[in-house]
Structure formats: C-alpha cells, structure tokens
Amino acid sequence: MARVNHKLVKKLLNEKRSKITDRQFFTSRVLAGHFEDMAAAQTHRYKYDRRVRVQLQWEPKSPDAAHTDNRRIHINTGHTLVTKTRGRENRYQLVCGLFAHELGHVLYTDFLQPQTHENHMERGIWYPEPPLLHTAGDFANEKALWAYLKADSENLEAVKTVSHFISNALEDGYIENRMLNDFPGTLGFGLAALRQTVWEEMFTVTQLKEKEEDGQNHIFQSILLVMLSYVEFGEIKYGDEELVDIRIQTIFDLINELDSSIIDPDPKTRLRTVNLILVRCWEHIEDYCERLKAEMEANESMVDAVNKSLGGMSGATTAGTGGTPVPGAGSSGSSSATAPRRAKTHEDAAGANGDDSAEQETSEPEEENGDDKPVEEESAQSDEELPPIMDSAPNTGKQEVSESEGGRIPYHQTNSVSEPVGGSTEYNADYEREQYDKAASDIDRMLDKMAERAATEQLENERLSELNEMANSISYGDVHKGVNITINRMSGVDTVLIEQYDAAAPRLITISKQLQRSIQKELKEHRQGGKQTGLVMGRRLDTHALCRNDGKAFYKNNLPNEIPELAVGLLVDESGSMSCGDRCTYARAAAIILHDFCDSLDIPVMIYGHSTDGRGVALYSYAEFDGFDNDDRYRLMDIHARSSNRDGAALRYVAERLSKRPEGVKLLILVSDGQPADIGYDGTAAEEDLRGIKQEYQRKGIVFVAAAIGDDKPSIRRIYGSSFLDITDLEQLPSKLTAVVKKHIRI
C-alpha cells in the first residue's frame, strides 16, 4: 500500500515552504490547478464540458497582463501591476482578479461576433447594422471612413485593430460588472482588488493632456482611456479639466450607448456602439493612424504598430480569439456594481451639456455638404429605455472558499421564468465592501500544498536514487551480465494523469469495493482482536453454549494483529505486443482495481512495469510499499505497451524487493502475454532462466502467480508450471487477480 510517510514529509515541509519564492508560487501548477478548479466549479454550472486550462507565466517585460482564447487562460504573474504590490497575499488577490476577469470572458464573451464584425468591415459593410447618424459631421465622417479603408490595405488593418481595442474595452466593462454581481466570493473580491489598483493607476484627463503635449500620447488614446475608465468604473478622473473638454465631452455624448453596452448581454449591442464610436471619433482615429504610419519602424506592420501603441493601456487585458460563451451564461446583464458612480457621471454630463445639448441633438445637416439624405432625429436611449436589469439572487456576503465543488443546483427542466413587477433603485452612500477574512488562510493552504509537493518530490528523487542503487547491487546472473537496469519513477504527477484516472476509475473502484465487502469484517476482527466462539475444540469452555447439540462449545481470544499478513507485488509486461487486443488496457484496469483493493484493506502493494529502452532493461515504478504521497493511483495511468521484454532481470528485481518484506505471505503476480523476447534473450535458454528465478525465490517464501492473457499461453504454462493462471476472457482479469489476493490473506 502507498502509505503517506508524514514524518518524512513534515521534516521537509517548513524548510521547503520558507524557500518558496514569489516566482515559484505564482507560476506553480498548484496555483494553476487551484484556478482551474475554480473555473471548473463556475463553468460546470452552465454545463460547460471542456475544462478551462490556466497557464501562469512570469514575464516582467511583457505588457500583456492576461488573455484567453476561451479554452486556456494565460496570466502574466510577473506583470508590474502585480510585482509592484507588496505582500504575497495582496499579490495573490491581484492575480486572482486577473483570473476572474479572464474567466468572465470565458463565461460571457462571444468571441465570434467581433470576428464577424471585422469580416464585414473588410467587405465595406457595417455589422450588425449601420450606426444611427444624426449630424452632418456624422455623415461626413462615415463617408471619409469608408474612403480611408478602401485607399490602402494598411489603413484597413489599422482600423480593424483599433475597432478590436474599442470592442474589448466595452467587453471588459460588461464582463467585470457581471462577475462582480454574479460571484461576490473569492472571484469578486480578487476582481475588486484588481480594479482598485487599476483605478488608482488611471491617469486623470489633465495628466493625459500633458502626455499629449509631450508627444507620448495621441488624443485618441486619451479618449479611449477615458472611455475605458467610464465603462469599467462608471466615472472619469477629470483632474483639473473642465467638463467641456473634448475628451470628456466625447464620452458624455456617447454615455447612453456606453451604458447599453455594459448592461445588454447581446454582443451586437456593443458592436453597434463600436460602429458609432468609429464614426464620432473618426477625425481623431484617422489622424492617429496616419501618425503611426509615419512613425512605423522598418519591417513593422501596421497591426503591430497599433498593438504596441494601445496594448499597454492601463486597465485593459487582452481578449483572445475563441468561440461562443458558456451556454446559458449570457442570459442577463447588470451594472449595479458601479451604478452609484454612473449616476454621478450622468449628473456631470447633464450639467456640462445644459440646454444646448438638446438643440444639437435635433440639428439638421447643412446643405453645403452635398448630402441629400434626410437627417434622422435623435434616438439615443434614455436611462428609462435601457434594457431591463435582471440581477441574480441576492448575495448575503463573501462566500467562503472550499477545496472542492459542491452545493450546485442540479440541471432541471423549466418552462418559464418569473417577471417581477415594480421595484426601485436606491443609492446607498454608506455601503462599504465586505472584507474576505480568510484570504490569508487560503494562501497558507496552497503554500502548504506546494511545500508538501516539493518535499515529497525531493523524497521521491532520493528514493529513486536508492532504487537504482539497489537494482545495481542485485546479482542478476551471467545471463544478464552487462545489461543496464534503469528504474523509472515520476516524482510527481500532472493534471492529465489525474483527469484520466478520475474519468476511468469510478467503475473500476466499484468492482474493488464489491470484492472488499466479503472480507472486510474478518480483517477488522483480525486486526482489532476479539472473542471467537462456536469452536469444536479448544482450551476454553463457553458455558453459554453448553446447550448446543453440535458440540461447538469452545471459544478462544484473538489478540490484535496490526502487522499485515500479506504483501503483494504486481509485475506487468509492457512489451510491444501488449498493445494488441486491448491487453495493456485490461492490465492497467487490473492494476487500478488491485491497488485500490490492497490500499483499502491496508495490504502493502508494489506495482511495476517492465520493458526495454534501447540501453537495457527499463523498470517503471508505479506503486511502492511506502509512499510519500497519495498519487500512486494516478501513476498507474502511465502503464502502456513499449518495446521488448527481458523478463528475467525484471522478475529478479521485483522478487528480491518482495523477499525483504516482513509479512508471512509474499505474493508475486505476473501479467504477461508471451515468452521473453529481447536481443540475445529468448527461446529455451530464457525460459530456463525464468524457471530458475522462480524456484530460487519460492524457496525464500514467495508465492508466484503468472496470469497469461495472450495467445502464447502454452509458453507461460511451460515456464511457471503450477503457478500458471489462464485468463481466457480479458474481462475476468481484474476480478481473478483480486480473488488470488483474497485467497492468500491469512485470517
């Protein structure tokens, strides 16, 4: 059985934990797995079948903080946004916030719609529909925009890239407000911490103007940053600027459309707003693109120039290309997290525009522009005309983090949803964000996991060296003289093996549990001790049984026996022929069942596979008698067909290991589909070597069982004689091997 050696692990735990750097912690698979489990918990509620992967990187020089392609979330934990914050707990909150932001894209973003938008732009068509134009300036800008796109392919690429950044800014505002309202626990708290840091870094309009004067920024970049500030946070950092400033006024003129974009779950609403922004800001966008063309470096594309210029926008993360959102996740939108701030910004906009704005909204285009089109009246939506806000169930506070998923509402059929009537909107000026007090303990738990993993990996590596030294110290005989013996063992398992085991094991474990039930009671009494009654003979007379007619009137007291009476070794043939007819698959299933059976009954078990690797005999350690972790069951998923088989050396190694055990019964099970076959090791000479090894270790108390699962069963019977076990039906392999173990348990 793979027991966890806690003493050895704890001995290294504190030492390893104190040496874990931030770079190691924030790029570890433990933390990535932590986020992947959180993603699985949230996406499974929407019946999302694919597991979202998380990749943590440490790239301090990269301007990209995080992005996703709807399948994998990339987070740059070495970004200056994170590293300049002091304290591992605070940095964890920011990384968690970046993860929450990108998970919001996975849950709520339809990545295909912006791609469709760009495809239509290439054909000179608005998607999903042309923007509503109200002034002569709007009509002139639209005409100039299409002319600019047709003039040069570089122009088209530049405007498409600019359009992408505008769309992503609106999408960021939408998904962050959704995440804050839908997930107020760890995700919401981390996102709030990230938003607070980003808000503090946001430039004021005054600072943006100064950067323009210094030549560092273009006015369009400033407008885009002010827009991002409003859609994400609901307010603008004016600085010392008057509200009539063109950067501020541009946002005020678009404020109703921007509100619609962050409320409406329909992605087309955001694309309509993108179209309107392109027209309203066209003069600035055109000048910005021309400036970039003039400053482009050699061999630099227009797309690269725009990405380099806008890619470092404070507060923006990159949304990659992907598919549609998680099914069912885009059913409602909400901006209640920033509603008070937005209300204040609306008041500022109304005060700045005054009565003049109403006249501008109904003005007609001048005839000198030469456009005979009738001007459409202002149709921008007021606050009352916005799509209804449908919040999820009220949240009562921060949700406590758990290590496993649970408590989700099962999928069920419904025919309708409720339609609330009435309701009101109130401004709560006294609200303060509820603190999540267990953030530090959550990090401590992960640090403990990392330290334990580092300690167990070190112990596993040390043991691997010991195993190879032991292998070299064994005398294999003249037949195997000069043959290299290599012990292979994974110091740790990856998530792929864990997921494969979790997918395949449940039905196999059921078989194991069924086989255990018939013997668990006897084993429990054997280890705990007790009074055994109903004996035909003995030294103690049971006075309560004197009335029995069968003579079973004696009893005896059994002393507790904590030492297991049986040790099991399993050696699996991993030669190339095991790939035929699902032999290796059944062998792997048998190993999983046998391991669980022995592990559950506290029976020491060792499982090895063997083949050759071009240099000699390759032994693969899947389960050891004394384990440092509980991952041996996952290592079993690595059993597969490999190359040739030099059975004698592998058999002697495992038999020697098993012979050192203190148990009274030592059972060695061999699973093979044929006779030995390696260069210089085959035929009758090889068979004679195997018979000699069997006889030698039988004298040392080892019981052999050779399970033959291939077509070459006569050879296996000829080699192992009475130890031969015929597995004609491969489906019987797991139960037959487990039955052999049950037969040899001493009770």
Side-chain angles (χ1 to χ4, degrees), residues 531-550:
K531 183 178 179 180
Q532 185 177 355
T533 61
L535 302 178
V536 177
M537 61 178 59
R539 289 184 292 179
R540 293 180 174 85
L541 185 64
D542 186 359
T543 57
H544 297 286
L546 291 176
C547 60
R548 297 180 60 158
N549 295 323
D550 55 6

Side-chain angles (χ1 to χ4, degrees), residues 543-663:
T543 57
H544 297 286
L546 291 176
C547 60
R548 297 180 60 158
N549 295 323
D550 55 6
K552 296 180 179 180
F554 296 91
Y555 75 94
K556 69 176 181 178
N557 291 322
N558 292 325
L559 296 176
N561 188 352
E562 295 297 336
I563 301 175
E565 290 294 322
L566 172 66
V568 178
L570 175 64
L571 180 61
V572 179
D573 176 10
E574 294 188 77
S575 60
S577 58
M578 288 287 286
S579 63
C580 302
D582 272 336
R583 296 171 187 172
C584 202
T585 302
Y586 281 102
R588 187 186 305 114
I592 292 173
I593 294 175
L594 184 65
H595 181 269
D596 182 77
F597 179 86
C598 294
D599 186 62
S600 301
L601 298 178
D602 290 333
I603 299 172
V605 61
M606 174 180 65
I607 300 176
Y608 269 73
H610 74 96
S611 184
T612 58
D613 59 3
R615 297 175 300 170
V617 175
L619 284 158
Y620 299 90
S621 170
Y622 298 116
E624 291 289 345
F625 288 124
D626 298 304
F628 300 122
D629 55 30
N630 287 316
D631 293 339
D632 279 351
R633 61 187 184 274
Y634 304 128
R635 292 183 175 94
L636 296 173
M637 298 304 297
D638 192 45
I639 295 175
H640 62 278
R642 302 175 191 270
S643 185
S644 302
N645 55 308
R646 195 178 187 92
D647 301 57
L651 180 60
R652 184 176 289 276
Y653 172 82
V654 174
E656 184 67 23
R657 288 283 311 279
L658 191 59
S659 68
K660 305 297 184 183
R661 295 296 303 180
E663 289 75 21

Side-chain angles (χ1 to χ4, degrees), residues 72 78 130 134 139 146 152 174 243 252 292 314 324 340 387 564 568 601 607 622 638 695 709 730:
R72 185 180 294 272
H134 308 295
F139 285 104
W146 289 119
D152 190 346
Y174 168 68
L243 299 183
F252 284 171
L292 286 181
S314 177
T324 56
V568 178
L601 298 178
I607 300 176
Y622 298 116
D638 192 45
Q695 293 170 4
I709 62 175
L730 278 177

Side-chain angles (χ1 to χ4, degrees), residues 508-525:
L508 301 176
I509 300 304
T510 301
I511 298 174
S512 171
K513 300 306 180 188
Q514 292 172 350
L515 295 168
Q516 293 170 35
R517 292 191 189 103
S518 62
I519 199 171
Q520 277 181 326
K521 182 179 179 181
E522 290 84 352
L523 277 176
K524 183 177 179 181
E525 292 176 352

Side-chain angles (χ1 to χ4, degrees), residues 355-369:
D355 294 332
D356 295 337
S357 61
E359 296 177 4
Q360 294 174 358
E361 291 173 355
T362 56
S363 62
E364 297 181 357
E366 299 176 6
E367 293 183 0
E368 61 192 29
N369 287 322

Side-chain angles (χ1 to χ4, degrees), residues 108-147:
Y108 306 125
T109 297
D110 189 334
F111 293 95
L112 297 179
Q113 289 291 331
Q115 296 174 40
T116 304
H117 181 262
E118 293 181 9
N119 293 338
H120 278 70
M121 186 178 291
E122 292 176 356
R123 302 199 301 268
I125 304 172
W126 289 113
Y127 178 84
E129 58 193 34
L132 294 175
L133 307 179
H134 308 295
T135 67
D138 287 347
F139 285 104
N141 285 346
E142 183 193 30
K143 186 175 181 180
L145 184 152
W146 289 119

